[in-house]
């Protein structure tokens, strides 16, 4: 049996499934990653007396993704649309809403 690229699953293939311009695989991987990391992140932030529940971390997933994409210079369609000053207001409203929902769950612990 010979090696054939057409039968191999690769990241490019997984990213080809999209809703609008957004890769379903990337969004799902981000949410799964934050879901798995949230207990550790919560413990780290408890060191500075902030209790951030898992739900808040899930709300922060997309805004944090945009921030990290900007920091590392990887401008995905969502990052470009968010930074576009002339449009994409629904996306911007959605991102700001996620930030507000995430902040609402944070509490200060003594």
């Amino acid at each position: 049996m010979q090696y054939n690229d057409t039968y191999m699953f690769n990241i490019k293939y997984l990213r080809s499934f999209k809703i609008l311009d957004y890769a379903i695989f990337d969004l799902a991987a981000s949410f799964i990653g934050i879901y798995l990391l949230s207990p550790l992140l919560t413990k780290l932030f408890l060191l500075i007396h902030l209790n951030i529940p898992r739900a808040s971390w899930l709300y922060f997933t997309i805004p944090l993704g945009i921030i990290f994409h900007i920091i590392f210079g990887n401008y995905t369609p969502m990052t470009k649309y968010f930074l576009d000053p002339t449009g994409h207001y629904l996306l911007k409203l959605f991102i700001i809403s996620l930030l507000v929902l995430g902040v609402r769950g944070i509490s200060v612990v003594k």
Side-chain angles (χ1 to χ4, degrees):
M1 189 168 183
Q2 200 174 24
Y3 175 76
N4 190 345
D5 283 333
T6 59
Y7 297 108
M8 294 295 297
F9 277 107
N10 60 31
I11 196 81
K12 191 174 184 179
Y13 174 74
L14 292 173
R15 286 182 169 160
S16 69
F17 300 99
K18 297 181 181 220
I19 296 176
L20 302 174
D21 283 339
Y22 311 122
I24 297 169
F25 174 77
D26 291 343
L27 289 170
S30 298
F31 281 104
I32 291 169
I34 287 291
Y35 182 83
L36 295 173
L37 285 173
S38 63
L40 174 65
L41 293 169
T42 298
K43 286 181 184 178
L44 286 173
F45 276 82
L46 280 171
L47 295 173
I48 58 170
H49 305 288
L50 289 176
N51 182 25
I52 305 175
R54 180 174 276 165
S56 290
W57 285 115
L58 290 172
Y59 286 129
F60 290 145
T61 302
I62 293 177
L64 283 173
I66 290 173
I67 291 168
F68 279 102
H69 280 100
I70 292 169
I71 290 170
F72 292 109
N74 184 7
Y75 292 94
T76 63
M78 188 179 294
T79 305
K80 289 176 189 174
Y81 296 158
F82 184 75
L83 294 175
D84 178 15
T86 62
H88 305 284
Y89 298 113
L90 283 177
L91 175 67
K92 293 171 185 170
L93 180 64
F94 178 65
I95 301 299
I96 291 168
S97 299
L98 289 174
L99 284 170
V100 169
L101 288 170
V103 169
R104 284 181 41 189
I106 297 175
S107 60
V108 178
V109 180
K110 291 187 178 191

